[in-house]
């Protein structure tokens, strides 16, 4: 086989894998069963109909009926042998040119494709009513773009399409290839596919971190740049942000608390804004600054971190007004508008993940301007925030594997 033929064959397989992903993601019923490499390339079993799909990629071929003849005859033979079943048949193909020569009417099917297989007229009509042929399908990159859009709709916390392609599309292809290779079980539902995509995310990302760390960091930086430009989050428009940093005691000791706090001060500044008046709009913007949560740091280590900030002239707030303070008092103190001024830029450090929900609820109930909320989770092996628990706020996820990488992502 020539290199050109081999490349075309490989591209054809990749195109079919992507078509499988697209079909899975487009299912309206999350429990419809999809069989890969079943009776056809893709079988979709709904409650009352079995949809049989063949997918072809002929990027170097001009369309003519002889190219699709064998595939259609195979479907027709299946139809004849299973007249009692409720089947529909699909041929999805991309050709270099000539798609305009195809006709979907029954005479074209009879005279140009099935002419050697003519039987009863009613039988041809029945098969024709069950057959859907598309010889003008998207080319490879167009289909890839449509899949990225579908993935973005299922994982909206990521604004960067390159990142969706970099992580989720690659992961989706791996799942499909693995499923096609499993002779014992090639069945999957949309619900199962999305669950596997989510559960295997960390493994794929960890591999990416090892294989192409620099590319991954660039994708993360672009994602952060994108979220900072979202309506209501640039410096002219105040926003409340919660930043979760997943580090542990040993790593912090090795890195050094003073060094980490230097980084923290830069991070605090990046996601804060001083109060100022816009010369263009003649309006005053409200000062805002983030909340910090340190996942996996012990209370003792967090106290050491806060003490170092304090001894370096940084004011720290953690919500504790006095002994006996209630959760409601703490949440109220941490959004007190008296602190929104240009001369007061405290570090608001929460004691637990649970504090986020309490403060979000307090913000929604209050009359302060900072009602736009973002959650930024810089996690290690498992996300700290489940998006289903914060449907009313914007959540963003950035995996990192060290403080050094955190600095690279934020820089």
């Amino acid at each position: 086989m020539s290199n050109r033929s081999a490349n075309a064959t490989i591209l054809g397989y990749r195109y079919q894998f992507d078509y499988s992903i697209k079909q899975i993601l487009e299912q309206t019923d999350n429990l419809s069963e999809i069989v890969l490499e079943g009776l056809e390339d893709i079988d979709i079993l709904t409650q009352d109909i079995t949809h049989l799909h063949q997918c072809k990629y002929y990027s170097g071929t001009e369309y003519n009926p002889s190219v699709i003849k064998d595939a259609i005859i195979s479907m027709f033979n299946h139809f004849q042998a299973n007249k009692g079943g409720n089947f529909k048949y699909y041929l999805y193909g991309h050709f270099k040119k000539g798609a305009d020569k195809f006709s979907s009417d029954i005479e074209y099917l009879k005279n140009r494709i099935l002419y050697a297989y003519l039987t009863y007229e009613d039988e041809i009509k029945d098969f024709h009513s069950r057959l859907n042929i598309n010889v003008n399908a998207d080319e490879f990159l167009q289909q890839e773009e449509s899949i990225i859009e579908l993935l973005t709709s299922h994982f909206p916390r990521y604004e960067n399409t390159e990142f969706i392609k970099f992580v989720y599309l690659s992961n989706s292809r791996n799942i499909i290839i693995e499923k096609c290779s499993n002779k014992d079980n090639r069945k999957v539902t949309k619900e199962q596919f999305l669950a596997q995509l989510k559960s295997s995310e960390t493994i794929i990302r960890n591999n990416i971190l090892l294989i192409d760390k620099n590319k991954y960091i660039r994708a993360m930086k672009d994602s952060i740049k994108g979220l900072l430009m979202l309506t209501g989050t640039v410096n002219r428009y105040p926003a409340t942000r919660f930043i979760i940093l997943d580090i542990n005691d040993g790593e912090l000791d090795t890195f050094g608390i003073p060094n980490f706090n230097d980084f923290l001060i830069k991070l605090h500044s990046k996601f804060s804004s001083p109060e100022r008046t816009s010369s263009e709009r003649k309006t005053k913007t409200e000062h805002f600054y983030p909340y910090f949560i340190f996942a996996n740091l012990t209370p003792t280590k967090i106290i050491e971190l806060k003490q170092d900030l304090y001894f370096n002239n940084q004011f720290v707030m953690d919500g504790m007004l006095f002994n006996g303070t209630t959760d409601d008092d703490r949440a109220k103190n941490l959004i007190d508008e008296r602190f929104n001024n240009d001369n007061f830029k405290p570090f608001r450090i929460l004691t637990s993940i649970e504090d986020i929900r309490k403060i979000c609820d307090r913000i929604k109930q209050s009359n302060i301007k900072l009602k736009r909320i973002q959650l930024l989770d810089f996690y290690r092996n498992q996300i700290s925030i489940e998006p289903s628990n914060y449907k009313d706020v914007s959540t963003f996820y950035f995996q990192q594997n060290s403080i050094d990488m955190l600095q690279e992502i934020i820089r």
Side-chain angles (χ1 to χ4, degrees), residues 6-178:
N7 290 338
T9 300
I10 293 171
L11 190 59
Y13 280 122
R14 291 182 63 192
Y15 189 78
Q16 180 183 321
F17 293 152
D18 282 1
Y19 180 70
S20 301
I21 297 169
K22 188 170 182 287
Q23 289 301 310
I24 292 170
L25 295 175
E26 287 181 340
Q27 293 304 304
T28 55
D29 183 354
N30 287 347
L31 300 180
S32 292
E33 196 170 71
I34 295 95
V35 183
L36 304 176
E37 301 289 354
L39 294 174
E40 294 292 356
D41 296 331
I42 306 155
D43 305 343
I44 301 174
L45 287 62
T46 59
Q47 290 183 349
D48 54 354
I49 302 175
T50 299
H51 305 264
L52 304 179
H53 295 249
Q54 280 203 40
C55 178
K56 306 296 182 184
Y57 194 64
Y58 299 111
S59 59
T61 303
E62 181 176 357
Y63 168 77
N64 66 71
S66 64
V67 180
I68 66 171
K69 178 181 176 181
D70 289 345
I72 300 303
I73 289 175
S74 174
M75 292 178 177
F76 184 62
N77 289 337
H78 179 273
F79 161 76
Q80 288 184 310
N82 297 273
K83 291 180 181 178
N86 198 354
F87 294 93
K88 288 193 174 182
Y89 304 88
Y90 304 80
L91 178 68
Y92 183 84
H94 173 80
F95 290 83
K96 181 180 181 180
K97 59 180 180 179
D100 57 314
K101 295 186 291 185
F102 171 77
S103 173
S104 60
D105 64 55
I106 192 169
E107 294 303 318
Y108 188 89
L109 175 65
K110 287 166 54 178
N111 299 326
R112 303 298 302 277
I113 300 176
L114 294 179
Y115 59 87
Y117 287 79
L118 290 178
T119 55
Y120 295 108
E121 188 74 16
D122 289 344
E123 189 175 57
I124 296 294
K125 286 182 180 179
D126 192 2
F127 177 65
H128 180 262
S129 69
R130 299 166 183 252
L131 180 64
N132 186 303
I133 301 175
N134 181 2
V135 295
N136 194 30
D138 289 345
E139 60 88 33
F140 186 87
L141 292 179
Q142 289 174 325
Q143 180 172 255
E144 185 178 85
E145 288 176 3
S146 68
I147 295 170
I148 290 173
E149 289 182 9
L150 289 167
L151 287 168
T152 302
S153 70
H154 287 288
F155 298 93
R157 58 184 182 264
Y158 299 109
E159 297 291 329
N160 188 288
T161 55
E162 278 300 309
F163 180 72
I164 290 288
K165 178 180 179 180
F166 192 50
V167 175
Y168 286 97
L169 179 56
S170 298
N171 196 0
S172 297
R173 286 168 173 161
N174 287 338
I175 293 172
I176 294 298
I177 292 170
E178 181 182 353

Side-chain angles (χ1 to χ4, degrees), residues 246-269:
D246 188 354
I247 59 175
N248 57 54
D249 287 15
E251 182 184 15
L252 184 61
D253 286 337
T254 300
F255 193 81
I257 289 179
N259 293 331
F260 180 77
N261 280 342
D262 286 342
F263 159 69
L264 205 60
I265 291 169
K266 293 176 183 177
L267 182 60
H268 181 270
S269 176

Side-chain angles (χ1 to χ4, degrees), residues 237-394:
Y237 302 99
T240 297
R241 294 190 182 95
F242 295 85
I243 300 176
I244 305 172
L245 301 175
D246 188 354
I247 59 175
N248 57 54
D249 287 15
E251 182 184 15
L252 184 61
D253 286 337
T254 300
F255 193 81
I257 289 179
N259 293 331
F260 180 77
N261 280 342
D262 286 342
F263 159 69
L264 205 60
I265 291 169
K266 293 176 183 177
L267 182 60
H268 181 270
S269 176
K270 187 179 185 70
F271 288 97
S272 301
S273 175
E275 186 177 43
R276 64 185 183 184
T277 301
S278 169
S279 59
E280 296 177 358
R281 301 191 178 195
K282 305 298 182 185
T283 57
K284 209 171 189 180
T285 61
E286 186 178 359
H287 176 79
F288 59 99
Y289 37 85
Y291 296 85
F292 288 99
I293 306 96
F294 300 102
N296 292 323
L297 278 186
T298 61
T300 300
K301 197 59 62 177
I302 293 176
I303 290 173
E304 291 180 30
L305 185 150
K306 290 190 288 189
Q307 287 175 332
D308 185 81
L309 285 170
Y310 176 75
F311 290 136
N312 283 279
N313 300 316
Q314 304 294 326
F315 190 87
V316 179
M317 295 173 59
D318 60 10
M320 298 305 295
L321 297 172
F322 51 84
N323 187 26
T325 300
T326 66
D327 285 341
D328 191 60
D329 290 330
R330 294 181 64 244
K332 184 177 180 179
N333 183 49
L334 283 165
I335 62 168
D336 196 320
E337 285 193 273
R338 290 176 299 173
F339 304 123
N340 289 325
N341 66 74
D342 208 13
N343 299 316
F344 189 75
K345 302 174 184 178
F347 278 80
R348 296 191 287 198
I349 298 176
L350 305 183
T351 58
S352 71
I353 295 291
E354 287 70 28
D355 282 343
I356 297 177
R357 181 75 272 172
K358 297 169 188 173
I359 295 172
C360 285
D361 291 341
R362 168 64 69 171
I363 289 170
K364 295 297 183 181
Q365 297 166 8
S366 71
N367 61 358
I368 67 172
K369 298 177 183 178
L370 299 175
K371 291 188 182 294
R372 300 181 185 90
I373 302 173
Q374 290 180 342
L375 305 181
L376 285 69
D377 187 1
F378 293 89
Y379 72 100
R380 290 287 172 87
N381 296 317
Q382 185 175 357
I383 61 174
S384 305
I385 292 292
E386 283 293 341
S388 58
N389 296 330
Y390 293 85
K391 293 180 179 179
D392 53 340
V393 301
S394 300

